[in-house]
Amino acid sequence: MAKILIAEDERDIRDLIAFTLRFAGHDVVAVGDGQEAVEVVASEMPDLILMDVRMPRMTGYEACQKIKADPKVSHIPVVFLSAKGQDAEIRTGLDSGATEYLLKPFAPSDLSQRVNELLAQYGK
Amino acid sequence: MGDTPREVLSDREVAIIENGEPLNLSNEGQIDFPMPHELIESLLVVPIYYLQRPAGLILLHAHDTNHFDKGAEEITQALASQAAVVLGNAFQYEEQMRRGELLKRELETLSKLFHVSHALRPNRPLEESLSAICSAIQEATPFQTILVSIVDPETQLLHRVYGVGMSDTIWQELRSNTQPWLSVQSLLLPEYKVGTAFFIPISKNPEVPEDVHAVTVLYPDHRNENDAWDPQDMLLVPLYDSYENPLGLISLDNPKDGRHPDRATFEAVDLFSEQAGLIIENHRGIRSLEDRLGDLEAEQSRLKDAAKNAQHNLPMLLHRELEQTISIQQIYSHIERIRAGLEISELASRKTTIPEIMHTLASEMITRFDLQAALIAENTILGPRLIETLGNLPAKSNPEALFGQRNPLRQLVQEGHLILAATLENEWSNSPLLNVLGAKSFIGLPLDLGEGRFAGVLVIGHRPLPPFTEQDRTIYLHLARQVSVGLQNLKLLTETQRRLHEVNLLLEFSQGLGVLDPEKILKGLVESLLKVISEAQACWVGLWSDKEAALIPHVAMGYHDNDSLLEIAYSSSSRTGSSEGIFPLPMRVYQAGLPERVAEIHFAQDYNLPAEDLLRYRRATGGRLPVSSMLVPLRRGDNVLGLVVIDNFNTPAAFLEEDESLTLSLAQQTALGLENARLFLAVDQRASQMQALNQVATMLTSSLQSDQLIDTLLNQLKIILPYETATLWLRHGDQLVVAEAAGFQDDESRVGLTVKMEDSSLFQQMVTTGQVVSVTDVRLDQRFPAFLEPDNLSWLGIPLIAKSELIGAIALEKHEANFYTSEHNQAASTFAGQAAVSLENARLYEESLRRNDELDQRSQRLALLNHLSSELGVSLDVDYILRLTSQQMLGALNGTRVAAVLIGDQGEYILKVEVPSTSTELPQILPAIPLLERLQESQGIFSTSYVAKDADLAPLRESYFQSRRVRSLLVIPLITGTGVHGWLWLQSTESYRYSPPEIELARTICNQAAVAIQNARQFAETNRLTADLEHRVEERTAEFMREHRNTQSLLQIMTELSASLDLNQVLIRTLSILNESFPADQSTIVLAQDRETVFRAGVSLAYSAEINPRSVSLPENQIADWVIQHKKTTLSHNIESDDRWNFTKELSIGFKSFLAVPLTLGEEVLGALLLFNRNASSFMMEQVGVVEATARQISITINNNELFSLIRDQSERLGAMLRDQQIEASRSRAILEAVADGVLVTDSASIITLFNASAERILDLKAAHVLGKPLEQLAGLFGKAASTWMQTIRKWSENPSSYETDQTYAVRIDLDNGRFVEIHLAPVMWRSDFLGTVSIFRDITHEVQVDRLKSEFVGNVSHELRTPMTSIKGYVEIMLMGAAGELNPQQVHFLQIVKTNTERLSVLVNDLLDISRMETGRVTLSVQPVDLVEIYEDVAADVQRRGQEENKPIQVSIEKPADLPMVKADMDRVRQVFWHLISNGYNYTPANGFVTVRMQRIGPDVQVDVQDNGIGIQQKDQHRIFERFYRGEDPLVLATSGNGLGLAIAKTLVEMHHGRIWFSSSGVRGEGSTFSFTLPVYQVEE
């Protein structure tokens, strides 16, 4: 069981991800945008961050860059979960420091499986 | 005032001060006074004096001339006196003040001193006392920095102990440095001394020793005055005690007033320094007392301690006594060991051999020292060798095998040092040898065998031993030394015995050398060597043979088959075997001449003999090979005679140095013996040879008859020089003739054979060197014919030389090769000398006899000839000469009549004279006589003693010879330089044969006559020639005049012809000149092409008026036609009698003669030139040349004229063309300027030549800034994007062929203003030349923006579609997972439907995105080698998984060849193609159908077929199925889910890979369809 931070502006989808991950037995902290994610990350110290790209106030790219620039939290793997699927967008995501870029729509079962794999990979 | 005074007075100013006279100057007399500034016109200088001493100057300057008058000068002088008084007052005041100051300071000093004296108490610390003194000095003197140093009485170094007036850092530095007193003392010279102090100003350059330490303290610089204190100045006060010993030093520095010290200062310093000296001395005294006291106290306390210690130390003393007891015991055991050692060494010394000694040592060590085992080894040339092991060794241990690895014994014999180990817990704990032997301790004794060689005994204990003491080491060392001495003694003894033996042997051997038979000597050597040298198993000895150039074995012993060994010759010429160029070992040693011991023979390398010799060697040794050898040369001085080889077949390095020296001395003895034997034989041989020579010489010199001498010569030679054949050649001029031959089958026929000397290089060599030529083997000599196999191989050429001339040669041949030796050669030379002299003598003798005879005859003849010659000289009459000659001949020679026959002009033979005359009338022409014809040709002499018999004389036989009864006839020719003139016939009525001298005489007479006749004839000829010459000169002069005239006219004509370009005028002028020069009445030029153009000059032709020149062929035209046609000059002396022309009456032109010449230019005839004259025969052949020359000039003129017109026409045409082109170019330029796209043109050097208005607009650059500039400069404005553009242009200009016609070069550049410009580039080529480039600029900003908007739109749409899909899909799946509560089957079914449709939607979105991206060209392929099978397997697995999920089994399979190549493609895109085609196959095929994928290589591509047996494609749909969203109307198709994009995507992707895609389908259900596509094969070299 791990703690996962979700940043997703679309409420339905945020709930869906939170539900899926909780169902898989994880502790979930959900926020609505990148700004909020950056604000809570240091206090929550999650094991993994799942983040949308297009969000109000601060995009996922920026949030990811900020997290990666902070030595206290830069070790936390960031995974983008986005509907933006063009090559350039994926490249930008990975360049901003993300570990993985997952595309929407996704199958919840696939998501929880992938999350478990990543956690295992990062030793959680 | 008004000026800045100078620092220093000038010389003039000083002069004024000195002489006291004022100076008044004005510019009129030019001021030569140093001026402080310009514009000074007047100057007044007045000195100031005070008490007769100069005190200053007043200088006045003015800007106008003569400013200062006498009055002004006086006023100034008065002022100067006033000033002097004031100055004096001021000086005095200052002096008073200074004095007051001094007095004040003196007072202060005294009070300070008083104060200090109080402060100085002996019981106060030194620093405190010094502090008081220093501050007193500070106050009493201006000096602020005071430093006190004290001398250390022991080291004589000055230590600084106290200082004031300086920073802490400086004080620390000063305190940490000491300086030797002596160095400081060296500074204190009397010249610096003031009182007790020494003032050393730096200005006096004192010599400061290097070790004097000084710190220059920087402080504010004071006035620049004479007595200013320099920071480097020193003021030192040395301090001495009452015995004048140095105590210390006070240094002063940094005076407040910045001046040198004054008197008061010195006085104060004297006082305080005395005080300081006292204090230091007192202090020192107190210190020494204190030290003494301290020492006494220490001594006292030490004694106290000792007493205290003694009470505590009793148990320790007891313990010490115990230790002593133990050490006594140790000494006992030590003595025991020494005794054992002595006994052992004595026992060992009694043994008589080295191994026994070492064995005894080892075994005694074991028993006496209670050890367990021992090993003995020695060091040999080949490394350490284990000799013996003894004692208790573990079973199965193999010390020999382990001895090679590092162990103490090995080290022992290598280094010769004692090694002891009480335990193995040291460097030897890892030695395998020791471990195997179970050693826990060991003693290693080195045994010195002498000459740096060691043996060793290692004795091993199985228990650790008590630690070895130094005494133990000494014992073992002594033991080892004792035994070593015994060993060396023993060795010396054996050595001495061996020497004795050797000496005996040598004596014996040298006695045996008395024999003179070399074979016996050699045999003796070999026998002795085998006997003496213990390791010698076989031995052979060989001698060098010059003849065979090889080392020949003579005696061999000890080999399996000695005779075979003797058959091997070690040659210096033949080198065979693999190691080319290396001689066999014996040959090598023989050549080096030095003995050699070979420790190990490498047979293949050392005996690289020819195959047959190898066989012999093997036979000789019985198959064994020598292991080690010793080879010693037989040497006599520098001469190496041969070689001894001693072999050993068992042991490496079997032979020792002493063996070598013994062999060497035997070899030397042998060499001496051999040399003696050889000398004896040589002397014997030489004596007999000399005897023979003597005999021969006597024989030869006793004969004076050449024939006799020649006959016996070769026989005599045989006595001295053996030969098979001999040939004697004698020299005749440059030839050699065989005079005698011997030993040949055909001796006689050889005599007379001739050879030219220059043809034989052997004779040439004899001539040039004068030496005997010896050829050892004619087969190896190129000078001998190679084509026949010679019987005799040796050849000796002996030159016979008399008076340095080669007079002949003798050639000898001998059957064997290398037969003639140097002795032979010498004998031959001696013989040749004798023979040559004898031959020459004989020849001279014969010659002198013959000469005598000759001289007699000659004198008579000379008289006759003289007479004849003087008589002949007076006459030039041929008949007289002939008669006289004939008479003389009759008188001189035997004959009855002489006739003279001369050859006439027609070659007939004329009998001119007969003496005595006959009745025949002379001259008489004789019939043709063949004999005379022949003689005329050969210039020979004919002689017959019987005329009647000679057929050649037949024509004369009856008519001449019979009537005169001639029987003998001698015909002598009269020959001069031009040939035979005739003959004199000397006839006789008797039969007589004329001897050669008679013929010679007759000939001389005839020659005299011939010369006289020729003289006569030449005289006549000369007369005739002179007359002829005169005539010819006259002719030539006339001719020359004519020519001159002609040339003149020609020149004139040529000048005319080149004078103008108006052809008509020029030609008419030319023709008139022609008329005058020749002369002609009329001249005409008719042109070949244009008959109407006729040029005429002179009298006009008299045509009848009625004649129409157009209808009738005029005579001039007829003549011209003829000339043009024949291309030939023609001349008619009279037209009327010339039948070539037949002019009618009315055409008669009134001219009688004409000259017509063609006008030719090269091969072309331009026309004709005609000259007419009224008179017949007016033109002569001589004139033709000039007229023809004129015609050529005219032709050239006409031609030039034509060329001129041609060029004019041409240039007009070119001008027109140029105009057209300019119009065309400006039109093109206008078009280029007008087009909407920007155009930029560069030339081949990349210089911009065109930049149109659109380009200006698009690039926002003015054409004026760009034109004429290099393109690179422009490209620089566009940054990196333009580099491709530039590179392409550069590539073309460097290599125009790199351009490929159908390629387009386009590059997009982004401008700074945010616009995008696309550049299309094309080269301008003319054939293969690169002329420049054209670049087209197109503003594509709008297109780029549209493109971007489109792409953004697609991205947004897909995002917006995916977001709701995420929710739908996610929640449905969660429900299906049962995470939201249990569902009934119907709910599950419905949710499944939602899920499936969501997936369709998701696929649709992805496909749409793909299509959109491909269309906008934003999909780029990342091409690499791709394995299609791998992709197939991925996709097939997916599809089959789907089949399982949907419960629709479809068989998916692949067919492909084993060697299917990789393709060049983008892996992900190809996977998409496979996915669409295979999933289509799956989708449109009912359950249990199949999808088969076939792959095969076809040409440069791989073709992939995807075949199914599904519903197929109906005919009516087939042409549209690749359209987007097209799915047709077939209900079966529509029943299957799909968006109609898959095939469109697949097609686009395949085509992006330059592949093709197609399909085939019958449209029948169940037959399915086949989709095929191709992809290019990956080529490795790409």
Side-chain angles (χ1 to χ4, degrees), chain B residues 1158-1200:
Chain B
L1159 297 172
T1160 55
L1161 194 77
E1163 284 302 299
E1164 192 191 355
V1165 184
L1166 303 176
L1169 167 68
L1170 303 108
L1171 300 184
F1172 296 97
N1173 200 303
R1174 287 198 192 86
N1175 304 318
S1177 301
S1178 304
F1179 302 105
M1180 287 170 293
M1181 279 312 286
E1182 294 93 54
Q1183 292 173 322
V1184 169
V1186 186
V1187 179
E1188 278 177 345
T1190 312
R1192 274 196 294 278
Q1193 292 298 329
I1194 292 171
S1195 306
I1196 289 165
T1197 308
I1198 294 171
N1199 188 53
N1200 282 350

Side-chain angles (χ1 to χ4, degrees), chain B residues 729 760 762-763 766 773-778 783-784 792-798 810-814 816 819-820:
Chain B
W729 302 79
S760 163
L762 287 163
F763 287 135
M766 285 190 240
V773 177
S774 174
V775 178
T776 52
D777 190 339
V778 299
R783 293 174 294 191
F784 287 84
N792 299 309
L793 298 181
S794 291
W795 189 91
L796 193 68
I798 310 166
I810 298 172
L812 300 183
E813 287 179 310
K814 189 77 179 125
E816 303 92 327
F819 180 78
Y820 293 108

Side-chain angles (χ1 to χ4, degrees), chain A residues 8 10-17 19-20 23 52 54 82-87 89 103-110 112, chain B residues 1351-1352 1354-1356 1358-1360 1362-1367 1369-1371 1373-1374 1377-1380 1398 1402 1406 1409 1413 1418 1469:
Chain A
E8 168 67 66
E10 194 91 16
R11 190 200 165 109
D12 294 346
I13 297 176
R14 187 164 70 231
D15 291 349
L16 171 65
I17 299 169
F19 182 88
T20 308
F23 187 72
D52 191 11
R54 208 166 76 168
S82 171
K84 289 162 97 64
Q86 302 201 41
D87 291 345
E89 292 159 348
L103 267 183
K104 289 178 187 170
F106 56 89
S109 52
D110 291 348
S112 47
Chain B
S1351 135
E1352 276 170 14
V1354 170
N1356 287 335
S1358 68
H1359 181 262
E1360 293 309 320
R1362 274 174 176 157
T1363 306
M1365 263 157 50
T1366 308
S1367 292
K1369 186 175 169 159
Y1371 285 106
E1373 273 203 26
I1374 280 178
M1377 280 159 67
T1398 320
S1402 149
N1406 286 341
L1409 261 177
R1413 270 154 52 198
R1418 277 179 296 123
R1469 301 300 169 190

Side-chain angles (χ1 to χ4, degrees), chain B residues 567-619:
Chain B
E567 287 167 20
I568 304 167
Y570 297 91
S571 164
S572 67
S573 56
S574 60
R575 306 178 196 191
T576 51
S578 55
S579 37
E580 183 69 40
I582 297 177
F583 288 123
L585 178 64
M587 194 59 214
R588 284 209 303 270
V589 177
Y590 168 75
Q591 284 186 333
L594 296 170
E596 194 174 334
R597 275 177 291 141
V598 184
E600 227 165 316
I601 295 279
H602 302 284
F603 190 78
Q605 192 184 327
D606 290 337
Y607 283 86
N608 55 339
L609 299 168
E612 66 271 18
D613 281 346
L614 275 180
L615 207 64
R616 288 185 189 119
Y617 196 92
R618 281 185 191 276
R619 214 161 43 226

